[in-house]
Coordinates of all heavy atoms in Angstrom, one line a residue:
M654 N -12.5 -3.4 10.5 CA -11.7 -3.9 9.4 C -11.5 -5.4 9.6 O -11.5 -5.9 10.8 CB -10.3 -3.2 9.5 CG -9.6 -3.3 8.2 SD -8.2 -2.2 8.1 CE -9.2 -0.6 7.8
D655 N -11.5 -6.1 8.5 CA -11.3 -7.5 8.6 C -10.0 -8.1 9.1 O -9.1 -7.3 9.2 CB -11.7 -8.2 7.3 CG -10.8 -8.0 6.2 OD1 -9.6 -8.3 6.4 OD2 -11.2 -7.6 5.1
K656 N -9.8 -9.3 9.5 CA -8.6 -9.8 10.0 C -7.6 -10.0 9.1 O -6.3 -10.2 9.5 CB -9.0 -11.2 10.8 CG -9.8 -11.0 12.0 CD -10.0 -12.3 12.7 CE -11.0 -13.2 11.9 NZ -11.3 -14.5 12.6
S657 N -7.8 -9.9 7.8 CA -6.6 -10.1 6.8 C -6.0 -8.7 6.6 O -5.0 -8.7 5.8 CB -7.2 -10.6 5.5 OG -8.0 -9.6 4.8
V658 N -6.3 -7.7 7.4 CA -5.7 -6.4 7.2 C -5.2 -5.9 8.6 O -5.9 -5.9 9.5 CB -6.8 -5.3 6.7 CG1 -6.2 -4.0 6.6 CG2 -7.3 -5.8 5.3
K659 N -4.0 -5.4 8.6 CA -3.4 -4.8 9.8 C -2.6 -3.6 9.3 O -1.7 -3.7 8.5 CB -2.4 -5.8 10.4 CG -1.7 -5.2 11.7 CD -0.7 -6.1 12.3 CE 0.1 -5.4 13.4 NZ 1.6 -5.6 13.1
I660 N -3.0 -2.4 9.8 CA -2.3 -1.2 9.5 C -1.1 -1.0 10.4 O -1.3 -1.0 11.7 CB -3.3 0.1 9.7 CG1 -4.5 -0.1 8.8 CG2 -2.5 1.3 9.3 CD1 -4.2 -0.4 7.3
N661 N 0.1 -1.0 9.9 CA 1.3 -0.9 10.7 C 1.7 0.5 11.0 O 2.1 0.7 12.1 CB 2.5 -1.7 10.0 CG 2.2 -3.1 9.7 OD1 1.7 -3.8 10.6 ND2 2.3 -3.6 8.4
E662 N 1.5 1.3 10.0 CA 1.9 2.7 10.2 C 1.3 3.5 9.1 O 1.1 3.0 7.9 CB 3.5 2.7 10.1 CG 4.1 3.9 10.8 CD 5.6 3.7 10.7 OE1 6.2 3.1 9.9 OE2 6.3 4.3 11.6
K663 N 1.0 4.8 9.3 CA 0.5 5.6 8.2 C 0.9 7.0 8.4 O 1.1 7.5 9.6 CB -1.1 5.4 8.0 CG -1.8 5.9 9.1 CD -3.3 5.7 8.7 CE -4.3 6.2 9.8 NZ -5.7 6.0 9.5
G664 N 0.9 7.8 7.2 CA 1.3 9.2 7.3 C 0.1 10.0 7.7 O -1.0 9.6 7.6
T665 N 0.3 11.3 8.0 CA -0.8 12.1 8.4 C -1.9 12.4 7.4 O -2.9 12.8 7.6 CB -0.2 13.5 9.0 OG1 0.6 14.1 7.9 CG2 0.6 13.3 10.1
G666 N -1.4 12.3 6.1 CA -2.4 12.5 5.0 C -3.3 11.4 4.7 O -4.2 11.5 3.9
I667 N -3.1 10.3 5.3 CA -3.9 9.1 5.0 C -5.1 9.1 6.0 O -5.0 8.7 7.1 CB -3.1 7.8 5.1 CG1 -1.9 7.8 4.2 CG2 -4.0 6.6 4.9 CD1 -2.2 7.8 2.8
T668 N -6.3 9.6 5.5 CA -7.5 9.6 6.3 C -8.0 8.2 6.3 O -7.5 7.3 5.5 CB -8.5 10.5 5.7 OG1 -8.8 10.0 4.3 CG2 -8.0 12.0 5.6
D669 N -9.0 7.9 7.1 CA -9.7 6.7 7.2 C -10.3 6.3 5.9 O -10.2 5.1 5.4 CB -10.7 6.6 8.2 CG -10.2 6.6 9.7 OD1 -8.9 6.3 9.8 OD2 -10.9 6.8 10.7
Q670 N -10.8 7.3 5.1 CA -11.4 7.0 3.8 C -10.4 6.6 2.8 O -10.5 5.7 2.1 CB -12.2 8.3 3.3 CG -12.8 8.0 1.9 CD -13.4 9.3 1.4 OE1 -13.7 10.3 2.1 NE2 -13.7 9.3 0.1
I671 N -9.2 7.3 2.8 CA -8.2 7.0 1.9 C -7.6 5.6 2.2 O -7.3 4.8 1.3 CB -7.1 8.1 1.8 CG1 -7.6 9.4 1.2 CG2 -5.8 7.6 1.0 CD1 -6.7 10.5 1.4
Q672 N -7.4 5.4 3.5 CA -6.9 4.1 3.9 C -7.8 3.0 3.5 O -7.3 2.0 2.9 CB -6.8 4.1 5.5 CG -6.5 2.7 6.1 CD -6.5 2.8 7.6 OE1 -5.8 3.5 8.2 NE2 -7.3 1.9 8.2
N673 N -9.1 3.1 3.6 CA -10.0 2.0 3.2 C -10.0 1.9 1.7 O -10.1 0.8 1.2 CB -11.4 2.4 3.7 CG -11.6 2.3 5.2 OD1 -10.7 1.6 5.9 ND2 -12.5 3.0 5.8
E674 N -9.9 2.9 1.0 CA -9.7 2.9 -0.5 C -8.6 2.1 -0.9 O -8.6 1.3 -1.8 CB -9.8 4.3 -1.2 CG -11.2 4.9 -1.1 CD -11.2 6.4 -1.5 OE1 -10.2 6.9 -2.0 OE2 -12.3 7.0 -1.5
I675 N -7.4 2.4 -0.2 CA -6.2 1.8 -0.6 C -6.3 0.3 -0.3 O -5.9 -0.5 -1.1 CB -5.0 2.4 0.1 CG1 -4.7 3.8 -0.4 CG2 -3.7 1.5 0.0 CD1 -3.6 4.5 0.4
V676 N -6.9 -0.1 0.8 CA -7.0 -1.5 1.1 C -7.9 -2.2 0.1 O -7.5 -3.4 -0.3 CB -7.6 -1.6 2.6 CG1 -8.1 -3.1 2.8 CG2 -6.6 -1.3 3.7
T677 N -8.9 -1.6 -0.3 CA -9.8 -2.1 -1.3 C -9.0 -2.3 -2.7 O -9.1 -3.4 -3.3 CB -11.0 -1.2 -1.6 OG1 -11.8 -1.2 -0.4 CG2 -12.0 -1.8 -2.7
I678 N -8.3 -1.2 -3.0 CA -7.4 -1.4 -4.3 C -6.5 -2.5 -4.1 O -6.3 -3.2 -5.2 CB -6.7 0.0 -4.5 CG1 -7.8 1.1 -4.9 CG2 -5.6 -0.2 -5.6 CD1 -7.2 2.6 -4.8
V679 N -5.8 -2.7 -3.0 CA -4.8 -3.8 -2.9 C -5.4 -5.1 -3.0 O -5.0 -6.0 -3.6 CB -4.1 -3.6 -1.5 CG1 -3.3 -4.8 -1.2 CG2 -3.3 -2.3 -1.5
K680 N -6.7 -5.2 -2.3 CA -7.3 -6.5 -2.3 C -7.9 -6.9 -3.7 O -7.7 -8.1 -4.1 CB -8.4 -6.6 -1.3 CG -8.1 -6.7 0.1 CD -9.3 -6.7 1.0 CE -8.9 -7.3 2.3 NZ -9.9 -8.1 2.9
N681 N -8.3 -5.8 -4.4 CA -8.7 -6.1 -5.8 C -7.5 -6.5 -6.7 O -7.6 -7.5 -7.5 CB -9.3 -4.8 -6.4 CG -10.7 -4.5 -5.9 OD1 -11.3 -5.4 -5.3 ND2 -11.1 -3.3 -6.1
A682 N -6.3 -5.9 -6.5 CA -5.2 -6.2 -7.2 C -4.7 -7.6 -7.0 O -4.3 -8.3 -7.9 CB -4.0 -5.2 -7.1
I683 N -4.7 -8.0 -5.8 CA -4.3 -9.3 -5.3 C -5.3 -10.4 -6.0 O -4.8 -11.4 -6.4 CB -4.4 -9.5 -3.8 CG1 -3.2 -8.7 -3.1 CG2 -4.2 -11.0 -3.4 CD1 -3.2 -8.6 -1.6
Q684 N -6.5 -10.1 -6.0 CA -7.5 -11.0 -6.6 C -7.2 -11.2 -8.1 O -7.4 -12.3 -8.6 CB -8.9 -10.4 -6.4 CG -10.1 -11.4 -6.6 CD -10.1 -12.5 -5.6 OE1 -9.7 -12.3 -4.5 NE2 -10.6 -13.6 -6.1
V685 N -6.9 -10.1 -8.7 CA -6.7 -10.2 -10.2 C -5.4 -10.8 -10.5 O -5.3 -11.7 -11.5 CB -6.7 -8.7 -10.8 CG1 -6.2 -8.8 -12.2 CG2 -8.1 -8.2 -10.7
H686 N -4.3 -10.5 -9.8 CA -3.0 -11.0 -10.2 C -2.5 -12.1 -9.3 O -1.4 -12.6 -9.6 CB -2.0 -9.7 -10.1 CG -2.3 -8.7 -11.1 ND1 -2.2 -8.8 -12.4 CD2 -2.8 -7.4 -10.9 CE1 -2.6 -7.8 -13.1 NE2 -3.0 -6.8 -12.1
K687 N -3.2 -12.6 -8.3 CA -2.8 -13.7 -7.5 C -1.4 -13.5 -7.0 O -1.0 -12.6 -6.3 CB -3.0 -15.0 -8.2 CG -4.4 -15.1 -8.7 CD -5.4 -15.4 -7.7 CE -6.8 -15.8 -8.4 NZ -7.8 -14.8 -7.9
Q688 N -0.5 -14.4 -7.3 CA 0.8 -14.4 -6.8 C 1.9 -13.5 -7.6 O 3.0 -13.6 -7.2 CB 1.3 -15.9 -6.7 CG 0.5 -16.8 -5.8 CD 0.5 -16.2 -4.4 OE1 1.5 -15.8 -3.8 NE2 -0.7 -16.1 -3.8
F689 N 1.4 -12.9 -8.5 CA 2.4 -12.1 -9.4 C 2.5 -10.7 -8.7 O 1.8 -9.8 -9.1 CB 1.9 -11.9 -10.8 CG 1.9 -13.2 -11.5 CD1 0.7 -13.9 -11.8 CD2 3.0 -13.8 -12.0 CE1 0.7 -15.1 -12.4 CE2 3.1 -15.0 -12.6 CZ 1.9 -15.6 -12.9
L690 N 3.3 -10.6 -7.6 CA 3.3 -9.4 -6.8 C 3.8 -8.2 -7.4 O 3.3 -7.1 -7.0 CB 4.1 -9.8 -5.4 CG 3.5 -10.9 -4.6 CD1 4.5 -11.1 -3.4 CD2 2.1 -10.5 -4.1
G691 N 4.6 -8.3 -8.4 CA 5.0 -7.2 -9.1 C 3.9 -6.5 -9.8 O 3.7 -5.3 -9.9
E692 N 3.0 -7.4 -10.4 CA 1.9 -6.9 -11.1 C 0.9 -6.2 -10.2 O 0.1 -5.3 -10.4 CB 1.2 -8.0 -12.0 CG 2.0 -8.3 -13.2 CD 2.3 -7.1 -14.1 OE1 1.3 -6.3 -14.3 OE2 3.4 -7.0 -14.6
V693 N 0.7 -6.9 -9.0 CA -0.1 -6.4 -7.9 C 0.3 -4.9 -7.6 O -0.5 -4.1 -7.6 CB -0.1 -7.2 -6.7 CG1 -0.7 -6.5 -5.5 CG2 -0.7 -8.6 -6.9
C694 N 1.6 -4.7 -7.3 CA 2.1 -3.4 -7.0 C 1.9 -2.4 -8.1 O 1.6 -1.2 -7.9 CB 3.6 -3.4 -6.5 SG 3.8 -3.4 -4.7
N695 N 2.2 -2.8 -9.3 CA 2.0 -2.1 -10.5 C 0.5 -1.5 -10.6 O 0.3 -0.4 -10.8 CB 2.4 -2.8 -11.7 CG 2.9 -2.0 -12.8 OD1 3.3 -0.8 -12.6 ND2 3.0 -2.6 -14.0
Q696 N -0.4 -2.3 -10.4 CA -1.8 -2.0 -10.5 C -2.2 -1.0 -9.4 O -2.8 -0.1 -9.6 CB -2.7 -3.2 -10.4 CG -4.2 -2.8 -10.5 CD -5.2 -4.1 -10.6 OE1 -4.7 -5.1 -11.1 NE2 -6.3 -3.9 -10.1
I697 N -1.8 -1.3 -8.2 CA -2.0 -0.4 -7.0 C -1.5 1.1 -7.4 O -2.2 2.0 -7.2 CB -1.4 -1.0 -5.8 CG1 -2.0 -2.3 -5.4 CG2 -1.4 0.1 -4.7 CD1 -1.2 -3.1 -4.4
A698 N -0.2 1.1 -7.8 CA 0.4 2.4 -8.1 C -0.4 3.1 -9.2 O -0.6 4.3 -9.0 CB 1.9 2.3 -8.4
N699 N -0.7 2.4 -10.2 CA -1.5 3.0 -11.3 C -2.8 3.6 -10.9 O -3.1 4.7 -11.3 CB -1.6 2.0 -12.5 CG -0.3 1.8 -13.2 OD1 0.6 2.6 -13.2 ND2 -0.2 0.6 -14.0
V700 N -3.5 2.8 -10.2 CA -4.9 3.2 -9.8 C -4.7 4.5 -8.8 O -5.5 5.5 -9.0 CB -5.6 2.1 -9.0 CG1 -6.9 2.5 -8.4 CG2 -5.9 1.0 -10.0
L701 N -3.7 4.4 -7.9 CA -3.6 5.5 -7.0 C -3.2 6.8 -7.7 O -3.6 8.0 -7.4 CB -2.6 5.1 -5.8 CG -3.1 4.2 -4.9 CD1 -2.0 3.8 -4.0 CD2 -4.2 4.8 -4.1
C702 N -2.3 6.7 -8.8 CA -1.9 7.8 -9.6 C -3.1 8.4 -10.2 O -3.3 9.7 -10.3 CB -0.8 7.4 -10.6 SG 0.8 7.1 -9.9
Q703 N -4.0 7.6 -10.8 CA -5.1 8.1 -11.5 C -6.1 8.7 -10.6 O -6.7 9.8 -10.9 CB -5.9 7.0 -12.3 CG -5.1 6.4 -13.5 CD -5.6 5.1 -14.0 OE1 -6.7 4.6 -13.6 NE2 -5.0 4.5 -15.0
K704 N -6.3 8.1 -9.4 CA -7.3 8.7 -8.5 C -6.8 9.9 -7.7 O -7.5 10.8 -7.6 CB -7.5 7.5 -7.4 CG -8.7 7.9 -6.6 CD -9.2 6.6 -5.8 CE -10.4 6.9 -5.0 NZ -11.6 6.8 -5.7
Y705 N -5.6 10.0 -7.2 CA -5.1 11.1 -6.4 C -4.0 11.9 -7.1 O -3.6 12.9 -6.5 CB -4.5 10.5 -5.2 CG -5.6 9.8 -4.3 CD1 -5.6 8.5 -4.2 CD2 -6.5 10.6 -3.7 CE1 -6.6 7.9 -3.4 CE2 -7.6 10.0 -2.9 CZ -7.5 8.6 -2.7 OH -8.5 8.0 -2.0
G706 N -3.6 11.6 -8.3 CA -2.5 12.3 -9.0 C -1.1 12.1 -8.4 O -1.0 11.4 -7.5
G707 N -0.2 12.7 -9.1 CA 1.1 12.5 -8.6 C 1.7 11.2 -9.0 O 1.1 10.5 -9.8
W708 N 2.9 10.9 -8.3 CA 3.5 9.6 -8.5 C 3.4 8.8 -7.2 O 3.7 9.2 -6.2 CB 5.1 9.8 -8.8 CG 5.2 10.4 -10.1 CD1 5.4 11.8 -10.4 CD2 5.2 9.8 -11.4 NE1 5.6 12.0 -11.7 CE2 5.5 10.9 -12.4 CE3 5.1 8.5 -11.8 CZ2 5.6 10.6 -13.7 CZ3 5.3 8.3 -13.2 CH2 5.4 9.3 -14.1
W709 N 2.9 7.5 -7.3 CA 2.8 6.7 -6.3 C 3.7 5.4 -6.4 O 3.9 5.0 -7.5 CB 1.3 6.1 -6.2 CG 0.4 7.2 -5.6 CD1 -0.1 8.2 -6.3 CD2 -0.1 7.3 -4.2 NE1 -0.9 9.0 -5.5 CE2 -0.9 8.4 -4.2 CE3 0.1 6.6 -3.1 CZ2 -1.5 8.9 -3.1 CZ3 -0.5 7.0 -1.9 CH2 -1.3 8.1 -1.9
C710 N 4.3 5.0 -5.3 CA 5.1 3.8 -5.3 C 4.7 2.7 -4.4 O 3.9 3.1 -3.4 CB 6.5 4.3 -4.8 SG 7.3 5.6 -5.8
C711 N 4.9 1.5 -4.7 CA 4.4 0.4 -4.0 C 5.5 -0.6 -3.8 O 6.2 -1.0 -4.8 CB 3.2 -0.2 -4.6 SG 2.7 -1.8 -3.9
F712 N 5.9 -1.1 -2.6 CA 6.7 -2.2 -2.3 C 5.9 -3.3 -1.6 O 5.1 -3.0 -0.8 CB 7.9 -1.8 -1.4 CG 8.8 -0.7 -2.1 CD1 8.7 0.6 -1.6 CD2 9.6 -1.0 -3.1 CE1 9.5 1.5 -2.1 CE2 10.5 0.0 -3.6 CZ 10.4 1.3 -3.1
V713 N 6.3 -4.6 -2.0 CA 5.6 -5.6 -1.2 C 6.6 -6.7 -0.8 O 7.6 -6.9 -1.6 CB 4.4 -6.2 -2.1 CG1 5.0 -6.8 -3.4 CG2 3.7 -7.3 -1.3
T714 N 6.4 -7.2 0.4 CA 7.4 -8.2 0.9 C 6.6 -9.3 1.6 O 5.3 -9.0 1.9 CB 8.4 -7.6 1.9 OG1 7.7 -7.0 2.9 CG2 9.3 -6.7 1.2
D715 N 7.2 -10.3 2.2 CA 6.5 -11.2 3.1 C 6.0 -10.5 4.3 O 6.7 -9.4 4.6 CB 7.4 -12.4 3.4 CG 7.6 -13.3 2.2 OD1 6.6 -13.4 1.4 OD2 8.7 -13.9 2.1
K716 N 5.0 -10.9 4.9 CA 4.4 -10.2 6.1 C 5.3 -9.8 7.2 O 5.1 -8.7 7.8 CB 3.2 -11.0 6.6 CG 3.5 -12.2 7.3 CD 2.4 -12.9 7.9 CE 2.7 -14.1 8.5 NZ 1.7 -14.8 9.2
D717 N 6.4 -10.5 7.5 CA 7.2 -10.1 8.6 C 8.3 -9.3 8.2 O 9.1 -8.7 9.1 CB 7.7 -11.4 9.2 CG 6.6 -12.2 9.8 OD1 5.7 -11.7 10.2 OD2 6.8 -13.5 9.8
A718 N 8.5 -9.0 6.9 CA 9.7 -8.2 6.5 C 9.3 -6.7 6.7 O 8.2 -6.3 6.8 CB 10.0 -8.4 5.0
N719 N 10.3 -5.9 7.0 CA 10.2 -4.5 7.3 C 11.2 -3.7 6.6 O 11.7 -2.7 7.2 CB 10.1 -4.3 8.9 CG 9.7 -2.9 9.1 OD1 9.1 -2.3 8.3 ND2 10.0 -2.5 10.3
Y720 N 11.6 -4.1 5.4 CA 12.7 -3.4 4.8 C 12.2 -2.0 4.3 O 11.1 -1.9 3.7 CB 13.2 -4.2 3.6 CG 12.5 -3.9 2.4 CD1 13.0 -3.0 1.4 CD2 11.3 -4.6 2.0 CE1 12.2 -2.7 0.3 CE2 10.6 -4.3 0.9 CZ 11.0 -3.3 0.1 OH 10.3 -3.1 -1.1
G721 N 12.9 -1.0 4.7 CA 12.6 0.3 4.0 C 11.4 1.1 4.6 O 11.4 2.3 4.4
S722 N 10.5 0.5 5.3 CA 9.4 1.3 5.7 C 9.7 2.5 6.5 O 9.1 3.5 6.4 CB 8.3 0.4 6.4 OG 8.7 0.1 7.7
R723 N 10.8 2.4 7.3 CA 11.2 3.5 8.1 C 11.7 4.6 7.2 O 11.8 5.8 7.7 CB 12.3 3.1 9.0 CG 11.8 2.1 10.1 CD 11.2 2.8 11.2 NE 10.4 1.9 11.9 CZ 9.4 2.2 12.7 NH1 9.0 3.4 12.8 NH2 8.7 1.4 13.3
L724 N 12.1 4.4 6.0 CA 12.5 5.5 5.2 C 11.5 6.5 4.9 O 11.6 7.6 4.5 CB 13.1 4.9 3.8 CG 14.3 4.1 3.8 CD1 14.5 3.5 2.4 CD2 15.5 4.9 4.3
F725 N 10.2 5.9 4.9 CA 9.0 6.7 4.4 C 8.1 7.1 5.5 O 7.1 7.7 5.3 CB 8.3 5.9 3.4 CG 9.1 5.4 2.3 CD1 9.3 4.0 2.2 CD2 9.8 6.2 1.4 CE1 10.2 3.5 1.2 CE2 10.7 5.6 0.5 CZ 10.8 4.3 0.3
H726 N 8.4 6.8 6.8 CA 7.3 7.0 7.8 C 7.0 8.5 8.0 O 5.9 8.7 8.5 CB 7.8 6.3 9.1 CG 8.9 7.0 9.9 ND1 10.2 7.0 9.5 CD2 8.7 7.9 10.9 CE1 10.9 7.8 10.4 NE2 10.0 8.4 11.1
F727 N 7.9 9.3 7.7 CA 7.7 10.7 7.9 C 6.8 11.4 6.8 O 6.3 12.4 6.9 CB 8.9 11.5 7.9 CG 9.7 11.3 6.6 CD1 9.5 12.1 5.5 CD2 10.8 10.3 6.6 CE1 10.3 11.9 4.3 CE2 11.4 10.1 5.5 CZ 11.2 10.8 4.3
D728 N 6.6 10.5 5.8 CA 5.8 11.1 4.6 C 4.3 11.3 4.9 O 3.7 10.5 5.5 CB 6.0 10.1 3.4 CG 5.8 10.8 2.1 OD1 4.6 11.4 1.9 OD2 6.7 10.7 1.2
H729 N 3.8 12.4 4.4 CA 2.4 12.7 4.6 C 1.5 11.7 4.0 O 0.5 11.3 4.6 CB 2.2 14.1 3.9 CG 0.8 14.6 3.9 ND1 0.2 15.0 5.1 CD2 -0.1 14.9 2.9 CE1 -1.0 15.5 4.8 NE2 -1.2 15.4 3.6
M730 N 1.7 11.2 2.7 CA 0.9 10.2 2.1 C 1.6 8.9 2.0 O 2.2 8.5 1.1 CB 0.6 10.7 0.6 CG -0.3 11.9 0.7 SD -1.9 11.8 1.4 CE -2.9 11.0 0.1
Y731 N 1.6 8.2 3.2 CA 2.3 6.9 3.4 C 1.5 5.9 4.1 O 0.8 6.3 5.1 CB 3.6 7.3 4.1 CG 4.2 6.1 4.8 CD1 5.1 5.2 4.1 CD2 4.0 5.9 6.2 CE1 5.6 4.1 4.8 CE2 4.5 4.8 6.9 CZ 5.3 3.9 6.1 OH 5.9 2.8 6.7
L732 N 1.5 4.7 3.7 CA 0.8 3.6 4.3 C 1.6 2.4 4.3 O 2.1 2.0 3.3 CB -0.6 3.4 3.7 CG -1.4 2.3 4.3 CD1 -2.0 2.7 5.7 CD2 -2.6 1.9 3.4
D733 N 1.8 1.8 5.5 CA 2.5 0.4 5.7 C 1.4 -0.5 6.3 O 1.0 -0.2 7.4 CB 3.7 0.7 6.6 CG 4.4 -0.6 6.8 OD1 3.8 -1.8 6.9 OD2 5.7 -0.6 7.0
A734 N 1.0 -1.4 5.5 CA 0.0 -2.4 6.0 C 0.2 -3.7 5.6 O 0.9 -4.1 4.5 CB -1.4 -1.9 5.3
T735 N -0.1 -4.7 6.5 CA -0.1 -6.1 6.1 C -1.5 -6.5 5.6 O -2.5 -6.4 6.4 CB 0.4 -7.0 7.3 OG1 1.5 -6.4 7.8 CG2 0.5 -8.4 6.9
I736 N -1.6 -6.9 4.4 CA -2.9 -7.3 3.8 C -2.8 -8.6 3.0 O -1.9 -8.8 2.3 CB -3.3 -6.2 2.7 CG1 -3.4 -4.8 3.4 CG2 -4.7 -6.5 2.1 CD1 -3.5 -3.7 2.5
E737 N -3.6 -9.5 3.5 CA -3.6 -10.9 2.8 C -2.2 -11.6 3.0 O -1.7 -12.2 2.1 CB -4.0 -10.9 1.4 CG -5.4 -10.2 1.1 CD -6.5 -11.1 1.4 OE1 -6.3 -12.4 1.7 OE2 -7.6 -10.7 1.5
Q738 N -1.6 -11.3 4.2 CA -0.4 -12.0 4.5 C 0.9 -11.4 3.8 O 1.9 -12.0 3.8 CB -0.3 -13.4 4.4 CG -1.6 -14.1 4.8 CD -1.5 -15.2 5.9 OE1 -0.6 -16.0 5.7 NE2 -2.2 -15.1 6.9
K739 N 0.7 -10.2 3.1 CA 1.8 -9.6 2.4 C 1.9 -8.2 3.0 O 0.9 -7.5 3.3 CB 1.6 -9.5 0.9 CG 1.5 -10.8 0.2 CD 2.8 -11.5 0.2 CE 2.6 -12.9 -0.4 NZ 3.5 -13.9 0.1
R740 N 3.2 -7.7 3.2 CA 3.5 -6.4 3.8 C 3.6 -5.4 2.7 O 4.5 -5.5 1.8 CB 4.7 -6.4 4.6 CG 5.0 -5.1 5.3 CD 4.8 -5.2 6.7 NE 5.1 -4.0 7.5 CZ 5.9 -4.0 8.5 NH1 6.3 -5.0 9.1 NH2 6.0 -2.8 9.1
F741 N 2.7 -4.4 2.6 CA 2.8 -3.4 1.6 C 3.2 -2.0 2.1 O 2.7 -1.6 3.2 CB 1.4 -3.2 0.9 CG 0.9 -4.3 0.1 CD1 0.2 -5.4 0.7 CD2 1.1 -4.3 -1.2 CE1 -0.2 -6.4 -0.1 CE2 0.7 -5.4 -2.0 CZ 0.0 -6.5 -1.4
T742 N 4.1 -1.4 1.4 CA 4.6 0.0 1.8 C 4.2 0.8 0.5 O 4.7 0.5 -0.6 CB 6.2 0.0 1.9 OG1 6.4 -0.8 3.0 CG2 6.5 1.4 2.3
I743 N 3.2 1.7 0.7 CA 2.7 2.5 -0.4 C 2.8 3.9 0.0 O 2.5 4.3 1.1 CB 1.1 2.1 -0.6 CG1 1.0 0.6 -0.9 CG2 0.5 3.0 -1.6 CD1 -0.4 0.0 -0.8
F744 N 3.4 4.7 -0.9 CA 3.5 6.1 -0.6 C 3.4 7.0 -1.9 O 3.6 6.4 -3.0 CB 4.8 6.4 0.1 CG 6.0 6.0 -0.6 CD1 6.7 7.0 -1.4 CD2 6.5 4.8 -0.7 CE1 7.9 6.7 -2.1 CE2 7.6 4.4 -1.4 CZ 8.3 5.4 -2.1
K745 N 3.1 8.2 -1.7 CA 3.0 9.2 -2.8 C 4.4 9.9 -2.8 O 4.8 10.5 -1.8 CB 2.0 10.2 -2.6 CG 1.8 11.2 -3.8 CD 0.6 12.0 -3.6 CE 0.4 12.9 -4.8 NZ -0.8 13.8 -4.7
S746 N 5.1 9.8 -4.0 CA 6.4 10.4 -4.1 C 6.3 11.9 -4.1 O 5.3 12.5 -4.6 CB 7.0 9.9 -5.4 OG 8.3 10.6 -5.6
A747 N 7.4 12.5 -3.6 CA 7.4 14.0 -3.6 C 7.5 14.6 -5.1 O 7.3 15.7 -5.2 CB 8.6 14.5 -2.7
K748 N 8.1 13.8 -6.0 CA 8.3 14.3 -7.3 C 6.9 14.5 -8.1 O 6.1 13.8 -7.9 CB 9.1 13.3 -8.1 CG 10.5 13.3 -7.6 CD 11.5 12.5 -8.5 CE 12.8 12.6 -8.0 NZ 13.8 12.4 -9.0

């Protein structure tokens, strides 16, 4: 994996393949939306909903922030990763 990606934590349902797909989706969204992080997260959640079904949520903060990730660490479909210097918390909602 390239140096712009660091996996901080992930749920048991996130296989290497899903992890790599999510990283690619995040990088594509960053490329399209640049600094509009709300739009980046919106695109990530929409793509994941279409690809895997259910409801997906995305939070993004500066790379050193760690708000809330502990709330979701037990979740089966959960990924906390630092990508392109931003910290992403992405998870599939139980609803």
Side-chain angles (χ1 to χ4, degrees):
M654 195 164 291
D655 67 54
K656 290 185 283 189
S657 69
V658 176
K659 177 182 171 231
I660 304 304
N661 302 311
E662 202 171 32
K663 67 180 181 177
T665 56
I667 303 295
T668 62
D669 287 346
Q670 178 184 346
I671 292 172
Q672 174 184 301
N673 292 338
E674 288 175 3
I675 291 174
V676 168
T677 300
I678 290 164
V679 170
K680 288 184 158 215
N681 288 343
I683 291 170
Q684 194 68 27
V685 169
H686 296 291
K687 307 289 187 237
Q688 295 304 311
F689 297 104
L690 294 177
E692 289 301 319
V693 169
C694 257
N695 209 13
Q696 181 175 332
I697 293 164
N699 286 339
V700 171
L701 290 171
C702 286
Q703 290 170 7
K704 188 166 185 84
Y705 296 108
W708 294 95
W709 286 79
C710 300
C711 172
F712 297 106
V713 60
T714 59
D715 290 327
K716 66 178 177 173
D717 296 328
N719 189 21
Y720 86 97
S722 71
R723 294 281 163 202
L724 295 174
F725 311 112
H726 76 278
F727 57 85
D728 202 301
H729 180 64
M730 296 299 276
Y731 158 80
L732 182 68
D733 178 328
T735 304
I736 302 170
E737 303 286 346
Q738 319 235 318
K739 298 291 179 213
R740 183 106 180 230
F741 289 88
T742 302
I743 299 166
F744 62 96
K745 186 174 183 180
S746 172
K748 290 189 172 201

